[in-house]
Amino acid sequence: RDSSMSARSFFLYGCDTEFCAACACRCEDAGFKRTDTLDRAEFALAPRLTAVLNRRTFSAPKHGTLIFHPSILPYHRGPDAVRWAVHLGERVSGVTWFWADDGLDTGPLCEQEPVLLLPGESPGRAYHTRFVPAGLRALERALSGLKAGDPRRVPQDEALVSYETFYAPANATCPSSAS
């Protein structure tokens, strides 16, 4: 691939939330220009990914695809990490930006930041007032590595894995562990 084609550009996976818009602004403020062509991007950004990406798609950008997850991976892999953390009464959680791979929430870690949860706080309020700001701060650190051409890629510690499925009162008493 011609490196001039992908220099200083990013692809944003479609989403219409304020968080996605703020992520795009952070990328632009860091000197990256948004492109609509995945294979011409230096990296792709997925702040709110709801579909599984195939290898050809997530590896098309020069550095790959960076995905946001609202937990300190590999803990609380799965689709409802914030709801599970609140339901389980956890006081500490966090956010992760990680690189897409063939698994579900299993790719190398790029940046993480802890989040403190208040007792009795709803998952929605916690997400918008704690996880989103932490995600934006962690994204700024990830963008620094991307600007330098050397983004972090730290393997996840498989000994610490937990996975929970969609949160529902019927399954709220028995989260599963991947180990």
Side-chain angles (χ1 to χ4, degrees), residues 75-77 80-81 83-85 87-90 161-179:
Y75 191 62
H76 286 312
R77 287 178 180 167
D80 274 338
R83 285 188 184 106
W84 279 108
H87 171 75
L88 296 171
E90 295 175 358
V161 169
S162 70
Y163 177 87
E164 291 84 30
T165 188
F166 288 99
Y167 178 85
N171 64 13
T173 57
C174 52
S176 63
S177 175
S179 52

Side-chain angles (χ1 to χ4, degrees), residues 82-83 85-91 116-127 129-130:
V82 177
R83 285 188 184 106
V86 169
H87 171 75
L88 296 171
E90 295 175 358
R91 295 292 310 277
L116 299 178
L117 298 171
L118 296 175
E121 189 169 35
S122 73
R125 180 166 175 77
Y127 181 83
T129 63
R130 301 185 188 292

Side-chain angles (χ1 to χ4, degrees), residues 50-67:
T50 58
V52 176
L53 302 177
N54 65 47
R55 176 178 291 275
R56 183 173 180 206
T57 301
F58 70 70
S59 63
K62 177 181 175 184
H63 290 291
T65 298
L66 198 55
I67 301 173

